[in-house]
Amino acid sequence: TCDTGDQQTTAAVQLKEAAATIVEGLRDVATHEGEDAVFECRLSQETAQDAQWFLGDVPLQSNEMNEIRVQGTRHRLTLRKVTLEDCGSISFQVGQHSSAA
């Protein structure tokens, strides 16, 4: 607001939050059947609402076999007690950015 005494004008500032980008991508993991496989990605900011993990083309959710955790800018997927059927591409997507291992 600018006030000169007998005149006043007001303006507003609106900001759009910048989209999150992947700062540190996924790395390949080799493990033995029955062990856990852990994948981690680091983003440019903490407030990424649209982050999603995939095994092949299948979206993953946190459950007894998959643990999905977010700690700050770090997003972690743990595949528990992997089997040969879990072999394949793991990918992480946020907005228009993705990383695969």
Side-chain angles (χ1 to χ4, degrees), residues 33-48:
E33 192 170 12
E35 294 181 351
D36 292 350
V38 179
F39 298 89
E40 191 171 274
C41 222
R42 189 165 62 89
L43 302 183
S44 59
Q45 60 192 36
E46 290 185 21
T47 57

Side-chain angles (χ1 to χ4, degrees), residues 42-76:
R42 189 165 62 89
L43 302 183
S44 59
Q45 60 192 36
E46 290 185 21
T47 57
Q49 301 293 328
D50 57 349
Q52 178 68 58
W53 290 95
F54 295 88
L55 174 57
D57 293 333
V58 178
L60 298 176
Q61 296 182 1
S62 205
N63 57 36
E64 65 277 350
M65 297 305 294
N66 312 313
E67 179 186 3
I68 297 174
R69 298 186 70 197
V70 178
Q71 188 172 23
T73 59
R74 294 205 179 272
H75 290 249
R76 179 182 292 198

Side-chain angles (χ1 to χ4, degrees), residues 26-39 79 82-84 86-88 90 101:
L26 298 177
R27 295 186 181 151
D28 292 343
V29 172
T31 189
H32 294 92
E33 192 170 12
E35 294 181 351
D36 292 350
V38 179
F39 298 89
L79 299 178
V82 294
T83 66
L84 292 175
D86 294 318
C87 288
I90 294 290

